[in-house]
Amino acid sequence: MSPNPLPADPSAASPAGFVSECRTAVAAAEAAGALLRSRFPDGFAARPKGGRGDVVTDLDLLAERLIVDRIRADFPHDRILAEETGDAAAGDGGARTWLVDPLDGSNNVVIGLPVYVVGIALCVDAVPVVGVVHEPVTGRTWSARRGAGTHGPAGLLAPGPRPSSPSGPLLAWTQGHAVRRDDPAARALRHTLELRSRRLLQLWAPLAAWAMLARGDIDGFVGYRAEAIDLPAGALLAREAGVALRHLDGSEFTAAFTGPDTNRTFVAGRPEILPTLLNLTSTSAPPLLNTTP
């Protein structure tokens, strides 16, 4: 039996669980961050990745190898699913899977924009139980364990409600790599959010946006067919900091990394603003946006 099994009822998860796993993830993310910081902004090579304008750098690969080796050393029987190499280590860990995004924001790094983070999650039965996001530029780290809250450099995060603005909420947006630029649902949803929000941030680094949401720096985060590899870590940070996550029809969003990307369209925000965010997304066309996949 795998250690620290996830209870059938996620709300019953013990805050005492997954301490060693979180410690490993924090140490690995910070070591990778030191590597990235030492080579930014011009100590690396980059090449195209896929056919939709994405890139990969040698920093992605070096940081990924460092993280995977650290996790494998401490938890040799767990499965590891990494952004660049895929199943880097598939052991007999059963339902336990580590997700590694060694450099979230590669496109930013390539153009010298210092908006990039390292993300690591541990999922049990596809549900996140540990999430870590490290920001190499500032050296700050945020971590969460299911049922134990989200911690940052100053301790437990407990952000209060943000003041409302007559010009609308401050939001972030992400969409998956497979989404075409002319995707009608994405265009309609994004257009509505841009019209009715104070600002819609598109950071090219979803984990950075999740950390901002967990800290209370922004009001909400909307994702359309989000990438699987970075979703669980960020979503757990936000949820443990008091953020509510929903599908566009208002049903609970679990942030599982399995299944089709159509299952990974979400609205996230603090409970007091969530009805406003759901109302914004429900006014988007076409109607397919209003049903849970």
Side-chain angles (χ1 to χ4, degrees):
M1 183 175 179
S2 300
N4 294 318
L6 187 67
D9 177 6
S11 65
S14 169
F18 304 103
V19 173
S20 59
E21 288 89 343
C22 190
R23 187 180 299 118
T24 292
V26 168
E30 292 181 345
L35 169 65
L36 297 174
R37 187 169 58 249
S38 71
R39 303 275 292 274
F40 180 83
D42 52 16
F44 60 88
R47 65 177 186 274
K49 175 184 175 182
R52 299 188 185 277
D54 201 12
V55 296
V56 61
T57 73
D58 56 359
L59 293 182
D60 294 76
L61 301 174
L62 291 170
E64 183 170 288
R65 187 179 309 133
L66 185 159
I67 295 169
V68 168
D69 287 349
R70 293 273 185 117
I71 296 173
R72 183 186 288 129
D74 289 350
F75 303 99
H77 301 299
D78 288 358
R79 180 192 181 202
I80 305 175
L81 185 60
E83 170 77 9
E84 305 303 335
T85 56
D87 268 315
D92 58 357
R96 290 166 54 102
T97 300
W98 293 85
L99 303 175
V100 176
D101 192 342
L103 177 49
D104 187 30
S106 299
N107 282 284
N108 294 335
V109 167
V110 167
I111 62 175
L113 187 65
V115 180
Y116 62 96
V117 296
V118 180
I120 302 174
L122 172 64
C123 295
V124 176
D125 293 327
V127 177
V129 296
V130 171
V132 171
V133 174
H134 172 68
E135 187 176 73
V137 174
T138 63
R140 297 183 296 176
T141 303
W142 297 273
S143 63
R145 291 180 291 122
R146 194 174 189 93
T150 298
H151 289 76
L156 187 68
L157 295 186
R162 284 175 50 81
S164 60
S165 169
S167 55
L170 178 57
L171 306 176
W173 164 269
T174 187
Q175 64 186 50
H177 296 311
V179 178
R180 297 175 58 90
R181 292 188 180 185
D182 60 353
D183 182 293
R187 291 177 64 183
L189 181 54
R190 191 170 59 245
H191 179 67
T192 298
L193 296 175
E194 287 174 337
L195 284 177
R196 301 181 63 185
S197 65
R198 178 156 55 98
R199 181 168 296 179
L200 185 65
L201 305 176
Q202 300 180 59
L203 300 179
W204 290 2
L207 284 168
W210 281 116
M212 293 175 71
L213 183 60
R215 297 193 305 262
D217 296 338
I218 59 176
D219 297 305
F221 191 17
V222 178
Y224 178 72
R225 295 173 56 189
E227 292 297 305
I229 202 77
D230 52 46
L231 176 63
L236 185 63
L237 285 190
R239 193 187 300 275
E240 289 295 322
V243 172
L245 283 73
R246 298 289 187 270
H247 288 283
L248 299 193
D249 64 359
S251 61
E252 188 71 22
F253 182 77
T254 62
F257 71 94
T258 54
D261 63 2
T262 50
N263 290 343
R264 296 194 295 272
T265 296
F266 64 85
V267 177
R270 300 209 165 272
E272 65 271 14
I273 196 174
L274 191 66
T276 298
L277 299 181
L278 288 171
N279 180 62
L280 286 179
T281 57
S282 70
T283 61
S284 301
L288 65 88
L289 285 172
N290 298 322
T291 56
T292 304

